[in-house]
Amino acid sequence: MFNKAPSNDDLRVFCAVVERAGFAAAAQDLGVSTAFVSKRVRLLETQLGARLLHRTTRRVTLTESGERTYGWAQRILDDVDQLLQDVGDVAVQPRGGLRVCSSFGFGRMQVAPALDALTQRYPQLRVRLDLYDRLVDVAAEGFDLDIRVGDGVEPHLIARPLADNHRVLCASPQYLAQRGTPQSLKDLAHHDCLAIKERDHPLGVWRLHNRDREHAVKVSGALSSNHGEVVLRWALDGRGIVLRSMWQVAPLLQTGQLVQVLPGWRQSAKIWAVYPLRLERSAKLRVAVEFLADWFRHSVPREAAQG
């Protein structure tokens, strides 16, 4: 006689406990009692024949079996939601955990408010955002989604464009008044350039294109950083020429705080949603990416989209 398989409802309860790190918080989200949540998790443990959670008075953490179960539960529930969406023509509300990563500046200024709006639209979705100054291996590091600025995506990942964007050269009026305005890429060698080590981009090498031409320029200066907002602050203070995305500098160009330099040259830097192949059919991921695509279409400055 076969053992009874775990129910989808019990898997959802278990995932809620994991994502809320506690029985009481999960019960509040689910609209049930804490005793009911505890009972369903105990039943799931009995059916699987494994302890899934370490319980203390202060916190709940996953066991090794719990880690594996949580991964399986997410995939199973995503598949069930996809089934309902595809076959039953039911509007499925995305739920469960979503691990997202992005870069420092773009993550803080653009991705964070977008995810805030996403969870307000879909309150059953739990999102964690991690910010890095390096290129993240999405699949290996356990992320569901990477919101990435810049072209070039690994072949084992799926990438969907969210918005057009490009980087431009600019400097403050004070700097240009003191040092002059460069007339060609060669002139950059005689200027203070504010380099940034951001994710997979090499420090001090700017790859720029002008229509059908592309050129790599080696630049240098007294100041460099791994944080785009720091470098932008230096540019505003008149310390040199910076290469930054239009989503960040468009308002500063409009107000005259910065002036575009060598306007014929730019660097492509589209905004992408990057995720592992295993999540290609994830209902919650699809809904999140569609929401973000709509968000960035309206939040990225028009100048960036027009090029």
Side-chain angles (χ1 to χ4, degrees):
M1 186 174 183
F2 295 106
N3 292 327
K4 183 180 178 182
S7 73
N8 292 333
D9 289 340
D10 286 350
L11 292 176
R12 291 195 192 280
V13 169
F14 170 68
C15 287
V17 172
V18 174
E19 289 150 12
R20 298 294 281 149
F23 289 84
Q28 184 176 5
D29 282 358
L30 297 171
V32 297
S33 68
T34 303
F36 175 84
V37 171
S38 181
K39 177 181 177 181
R40 301 318 301 181
V41 172
R42 284 199 305 270
L43 177 60
L44 181 62
E45 289 179 321
T46 299
Q47 290 173 328
L48 295 176
R51 185 181 179 87
L52 304 179
L53 298 169
H54 293 300
R55 302 164 175 84
T56 68
T57 56
R58 293 187 176 182
R59 60 184 302 188
V60 174
T61 58
L62 285 167
T63 65
E64 183 178 347
S65 296
E67 290 274 8
R68 295 201 302 272
T69 301
Y70 180 58
W72 277 105
Q74 288 183 303
R75 290 191 289 272
I76 290 168
L77 296 175
D78 280 343
D79 285 344
V80 170
D81 287 345
Q82 183 67 36
L83 173 65
L84 293 173
Q85 190 83 38
D86 288 350
V87 178
D89 195 26
V90 175
V92 177
Q93 288 291 310
R95 67 186 78 193
L98 193 68
R99 288 197 65 197
V100 183
C101 60
S102 190
S103 56
F104 281 155
F106 190 73
R108 187 183 73 81
M109 298 177 67
Q110 296 286 340
V111 178
L115 295 179
D116 181 10
L118 173 67
T119 56
Q120 291 186 54
R121 172 80 63 84
Y122 303 107
Q124 296 185 67
L125 199 59
R126 302 294 172 191
V127 177
R128 170 174 169 172
L129 173 63
D130 290 306
L131 304 180
Y132 297 93
D133 64 346
R134 60 178 175 83
L135 189 64
V136 174
D137 188 333
V138 182
E141 297 183 47
F143 285 99
D144 302 309
L145 179 63
D146 181 8
I147 307 301
R148 187 180 301 182
V149 179
D151 299 335
V153 178
E154 301 87 330
H156 65 285
L157 299 174
I158 299 174
R160 172 175 171 177
L162 298 178
D164 288 331
N165 176 55
H166 57 267
R167 299 185 179 100
V168 296
L169 298 165
C170 46
S172 71
Q174 303 95 304
Y175 175 85
L176 296 176
Q178 294 173 356
R179 300 290 301 275
T181 301
Q183 301 301 311
S184 69
L185 293 183
K186 292 181 179 180
D187 292 344
L188 293 177
H190 307 294
H191 281 267
D192 290 323
C193 294
L194 303 168
I196 177 172
K197 181 66 178 77
E198 189 174 39
R199 293 194 137 192
D200 59 331
H201 304 298
L203 180 66
V205 178
W206 290 348
R207 295 188 178 277
L208 305 166
H209 64 84
N210 183 353
R211 295 187 179 181
D212 57 347
R213 290 186 297 160
E214 184 171 303
H215 192 73
V217 184
K218 179 65 177 175
V219 298
S220 62
L223 294 169
S224 64
S225 176
N226 70 333
H227 203 298
E229 292 178 57
V230 171
V231 171
L232 184 60
R233 182 68 262 170
W234 288 333
L236 290 168
D237 291 341
R239 296 304 308 275
I241 298 173
V242 68
L243 177 66
R244 295 305 293 154
S245 284
M246 282 297 291
W247 66 260
Q248 189 174 36
V249 301
L252 302 172
L253 294 172
Q254 291 172 353
T255 60
Q257 293 174 270
L258 291 177
V259 176
Q260 190 171 349
V261 174
L262 299 174
W265 293 92
R266 64 180 59 181
Q267 184 182 85
S268 178
K270 289 183 180 180
I271 301 166
W272 299 87
V274 180
Y275 48 94
L277 183 61
R278 64 177 175 80
L279 294 178
E280 183 179 14
R281 293 177 59 81
S282 169
K284 67 181 177 184
L285 183 65
R286 185 182 66 253
V287 170
V289 170
E290 289 174 354
F291 178 92
L292 293 171
D294 182 68
W295 175 277
F296 289 126
R297 273 196 300 269
H298 294 90
S299 66
V300 173
R302 181 173 298 180
E303 291 90 342
Q306 290 178 342

